[in-house]
């Protein structure tokens, strides 16, 4: 008797029973790790099979791990199966950015063909072993959330004159002049920076150095999404990867006061997309209409980008390097896996170059030639980050 082919065992999983070698790894995972026990071993002898209990599909938050732990590919991932060939993919180690646990992951990406377009850049996220954080597992939020890397991107620098091209050097030099004018006229308190806990320890350190040290009294606002429900295993309520790092660097999350922003800001610098996604056009128009100049660092095009005077393309976490501090205070360095598209740059590079162009402590910023150097400087100033 033939065993089942393409059996639907959950929203993310397909089971080819004819490939199954009855090792029972999947059954033990659901019994010992998630303790949800959706799979069991049924029948006897030649008819033995692994299957779900009737009406109880494997829909727990960690279901994707089954496709990774099955040794013979009998359980496959609905999202990945037959979308591309494994041998076309390259793999890079990274850290999941979707919550403050900071699970270790590998990003499987397609380098592309010389003569044919490929459907997407990243095809799969897998769990990577880290016994201090996630053991061998990741949740489905981290495993299937990777489409943020494949979305359409902001690839060019856009300035006030939409009909011409801008370069990073030109924009940074122009902006540092404006920042210095604020400094000379003692109006640094009217500079507002909106950053977020998707930024790395090194990037937030540079924000602190520039906007609290070189340009003292600038207003720094950490703008993060509200906490969501965590679970009792890996997923935490903080759906950002570096809240703990931001807190250790002295940043606090406060609700954004649009009225103060409107009335007391000359120069507005925004990192990330959260403000755009959670404001309506008229509200943002009122704020941006009243500030002298606004600048947005973002990875994505957005209908509200056009309201900013300058829109500059920023790299995503997998396209950059740095470190993130997880919920338990573990500082985890990560390397670049993917090339940033177009003219996008890593935010730490942009900030380092801005520090240089300000020309207040030029030799200091010139010496920051890598994230490792910045991390060393960070450790010198804040003992929490010292190795
Ligand atoms: S892990 Fe794979 S091979 Fe092992 S029992 Fe489960 S489905 Fe079968
Ligand atoms: S628990 Fe958090 S860090 Fe880990 S995979 Fe899930 S979302 Fe990512």
């Amino acid at each position: 008797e033939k065993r089942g082919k393409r059996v639907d065992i959950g929203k993310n999983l397909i089971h080819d029973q004819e490939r199954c070698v009855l090792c029972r790894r999947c059954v033990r995972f659901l019994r010992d790790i998630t303790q949800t026990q959706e799979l069991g071993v049924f029948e006897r002898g030649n008819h033995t099979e692994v299957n779900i209990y009737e009406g109880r599909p494997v829909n727990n938050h960690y279901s994707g791990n089954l496709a990774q732990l099955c040794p013979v590919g009998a359980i496959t991932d609905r999202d990945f199966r037959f979308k591309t060939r494994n041998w076309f993919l390259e793999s890079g180690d990274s850290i999941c950015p979707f919550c403050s646990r900071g699970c270790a992951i590998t990003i499987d990406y397609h380098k592309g063909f010389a003569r044919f377009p490929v459907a997407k850049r990243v095809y799969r996220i897998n769990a990577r072993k880290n016994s201090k954080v996630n053991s061998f597992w990741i949740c489905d939020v981290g495993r299937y959330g990777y489409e943020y890397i494949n979305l359409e991107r902001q690839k060019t620098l856009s300035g006030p004159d939409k009909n011409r091209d801008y370069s990073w050097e030109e924009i940074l030099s122009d902006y540092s002049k404006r920042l210095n004018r604020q400094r000379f006229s003692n109006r640094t308190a009217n500079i507002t920076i909106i950053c977020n806990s998707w930024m790395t320890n090194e990037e937030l350190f540079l924000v602190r150095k520039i906007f609290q040290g070189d340009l003292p009294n600038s207003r720094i606002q950490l703008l993060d999404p509200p906490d969501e429900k965590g679970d009792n295993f890996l997923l935490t309520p903080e759906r950002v990867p570096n809240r703990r790092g931001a807190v250790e660097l002295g940043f606090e999350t406060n609700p954004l006061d649009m009225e103060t922003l409107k009335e007391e800001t000359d120069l507005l610098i925004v990192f990330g997309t959260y403000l755009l996604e959670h404001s309506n056009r008229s509200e943002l128009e009122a704020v941006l209409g009243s500030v002298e100049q606004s600048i947005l660092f973002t990875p994505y095009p957005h209908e509200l980008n056009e309201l900013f005077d300058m829109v500059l393309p920023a790299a995503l976490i997998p396209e950059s390097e740095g470190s993130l501090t997880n919920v338990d205070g573990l500082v985890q360095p990560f390397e670049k896996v993917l090339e940033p598209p177009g003219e996008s740059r890593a935010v730490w590079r942009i900030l380092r170059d801005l520090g240089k162009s300000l020309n207040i402590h030029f030799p200091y910023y010139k010496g920051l030639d890598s994230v490792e150097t910045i991390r060393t400087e960070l450790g010198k100033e804040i003992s929490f980050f010292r190795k």
Side-chain angles (χ1 to χ4, degrees), residues 62 96-105 134 137-143 234-236 239:
Y62 293 83
C96 173
F98 285 108
C99 86
S100 58
R101 181 70 60 196
C103 296
I105 54 167
N134 54 303
W137 324 118
I138 55 172
C139 77
D140 289 350
V141 174
R143 187 178 294 273
L234 295 174
L235 189 66
T236 66
R239 299 304 172 84

Side-chain angles (χ1 to χ4, degrees), residues 252-266:
E252 285 173 20
T253 47
N254 295 314
L256 189 63
D257 180 354
M258 295 297 245
E259 276 310 305
T260 321
L261 201 62
K262 200 159 70 181
E263 281 158 22
E264 296 175 17
T265 302
D266 295 339

Side-chain angles (χ1 to χ4, degrees), residues 299-317:
Y300 302 115
H302 190 280
E303 53 175 338
L304 299 183
N305 282 6
E306 64 181 26
L307 300 179
F308 285 79
D309 296 310
M310 290 191 235
V311 182
L312 308 177
L316 296 167
I317 287 178

Side-chain angles (χ1 to χ4, degrees), residues 1-5 7 17-19 46-49:
E1 190 191 330
K2 269 195 145 188
R3 289 207 248 157
K5 191 101 185 104
V7 180
Q17 288 172 327
E18 60 179 16
R19 283 193 203 164
N46 279 349
H47 302 285
T48 310
E49 65 176 30

Side-chain angles (χ1 to χ4, degrees), residues 15-16 19-27 39 50 66 69-75:
H15 187 204
D16 283 331
R19 283 193 203 164
C20 175
V21 293
L22 298 172
C23 69
R24 293 164 170 80
R25 267 193 198 187
C26 51
V27 178
L39 286 179
V50 164
L66 292 179
L69 63 76
C70 176
V72 291
I75 297 180

